[in-house]
Every structure is written in C-alpha cells, then in structure tokens.
Amino acid sequence: MRIGATFLAGLAFCCTCQSRAQTPAGVPRVARQGNATQLLVDGKPILILSGELSNNAATALEPMEPIWPKLVSSNLNTVLVGVSWAQFEPEEGKFHYSLVDGVIAKARENHLHIVFLWFGCWKNGTSSYPPYWVKKDYERFPRIQIGEGKTVSISGPVELLSTLSDATRDADARAFAALMSHIKEVDGSQHTVVMMQL
C-alpha cells in the first residue's frame, strides 16, 4: 500500500460526465473556488488522504480483511482500489458486481471514501486486465502490429490490444458504462465513491 495525497489531474469523476449545470449539487465534482480547484463531496471540499492498494489486492474480499484496519490506523480517508475488467465481465455481457459492492460496503463500514481505478484494455501500456473472451479473439480484438504488419515478436504474439479497433473500444466502453451505472445505483446518494481513474 502506498500512502500519500491523490492528485486531481488525470482523474475522471464519478457521475460527473454531464455539464456542471446538470450535475446534482451533492455529486462529487471539481469546482473552482477563487484561485483554487477543489474536489467537492456533498457540496463540501475534501482533502484526499489516500492509500493505494496493489493492482491485484481487490481480487477477492476475504484477503482484503486485514487491509481495512491498516488504512484506518494510518488516518486515511480514502482508498484507491483497482477494478479489473476481466473480473467484472468474465463472460461477455455478464457483469459481476459483488466485488465492487463488497468494497463499497467495507469502505462505508470503515468510514472511508473510494477512488476506483478502471483496469480495462490498457494499464501502464499493457493489456493485462481484459477478460479472456477478449484476449482469445484476435480477429474481433486485434493486437498492435510491429514492424511490417507482424503481430509476432521473438517471444510470441504481442498481447497488446490495438488502440485502432472500434470493437475493442466499444467492448471496454460498455463494461465501463455498466460499472459506472451500477456505482450510481448503489452509491448515488451516499458518495462513498468520490472518483474514478481511467
């Protein structure tokens, strides 16, 4: 777990894809206050003091049990938690919400906010987190091409999804939209989830 303040730059905010005028007052959002830019949660500024879990820490709820007391004892108010597309949509169109719901419940129980990190098509320049149904379909979800159209390197196939594929973009977007819709449904009034990092 890394401890430190979370910077607002580069973060997409949960449920604030609408224009500012359409955003309900309590929804977490960024606003200018004089010369400062602040994250507002329930209309009040919040300074995020966060601990970031390792990429795969939230793959099951039980192994996370010892983590929650450490976050609380560190006087943090927020935890950054990865959500893997592979776990969220193991079969196309079938979304598993139990892990996300469990993390939200434990954060509430421990009086913590959450910043979810979406691990979709790419993370740190690799395609480690897409589900198997995406990874096994080279036709529908093409890989990058290196050299003269080759998708094979010395060590084998390049497992990096092409950024030029509409099918890849659309599949990731559908999963992300399902996640955001679910978060709004289960947390739209409590605002445990204050941000979403893409």
Side-chain angles (χ1 to χ4, degrees):
M1 173 176 68
R2 292 186 307 194
I3 297 175
T6 301
F7 295 98
L8 298 178
L11 296 176
F13 296 90
C14 188
C15 306
T16 58
C17 296
Q18 306 167 34
S19 73
R20 185 175 174 195
Q22 296 172 323
T23 303
V27 172
R29 64 185 178 90
V30 172
R32 295 282 298 167
Q33 302 288 334
N35 292 330
T37 301
Q38 298 176 327
L39 172 62
L40 301 178
V41 177
D42 296 320
K44 299 175 186 172
I46 180 175
L47 175 63
I48 292 181
L49 303 173
S50 64
E52 182 174 350
L53 304 183
S54 65
N55 291 345
N56 299 318
T59 55
L61 294 173
E62 188 176 327
M64 287 187 62
E65 282 299 320
I67 296 172
W68 298 106
K70 291 177 184 178
L71 293 167
V72 172
S73 69
S74 297
N75 294 315
L76 303 177
N77 63 7
T78 306
V79 58
L80 282 70
V81 182
V83 177
S84 162
W85 181 15
Q87 278 196 289
F88 183 67
E89 188 183 14
E91 296 178 63
E92 188 169 6
K94 295 182 180 178
F95 303 106
H96 290 202
Y97 300 108
S98 59
L99 190 58
V100 170
D101 290 347
V103 169
I104 291 172
K106 289 303 287 187
R108 285 179 186 158
E109 183 182 311
N110 288 282
H111 309 288
L112 294 167
H113 288 291
I114 297 172
V115 174
F116 277 125
L117 291 71
W118 175 244
F119 295 161
C121 284
W122 307 279
K123 190 218 178 279
N124 294 341
T126 63
S127 296
S128 303
Y129 291 94
Y132 182 67
W133 58 268
V134 170
K135 289 182 177 182
K136 72 178 183 178
D137 191 341
Y138 281 76
E139 183 86 19
R140 185 173 163 206
F141 304 107
R143 303 321 190 253
I144 64 164
Q145 295 183 356
I146 55 174
E148 297 176 10
K150 298 177 184 175
T151 58
V152 178
S153 66
I154 295 171
S155 60
V158 176
E159 287 303 323
L160 181 56
L161 294 166
S162 172
T163 58
L164 304 176
S165 167
D166 291 347
T168 302
R169 178 202 60 220
D170 293 348
D172 188 326
R174 277 189 300 275
F176 182 73
L179 175 62
M180 294 299 287
S181 178
H182 183 73
I183 290 170
K184 184 176 181 181
E185 181 181 318
V186 300
D187 194 51
S189 61
Q190 292 185 276
H191 308 133
T192 307
V193 180
V194 294
M195 288 192 261
M196 175 65 74
Q197 178 177 318
L198 302 176

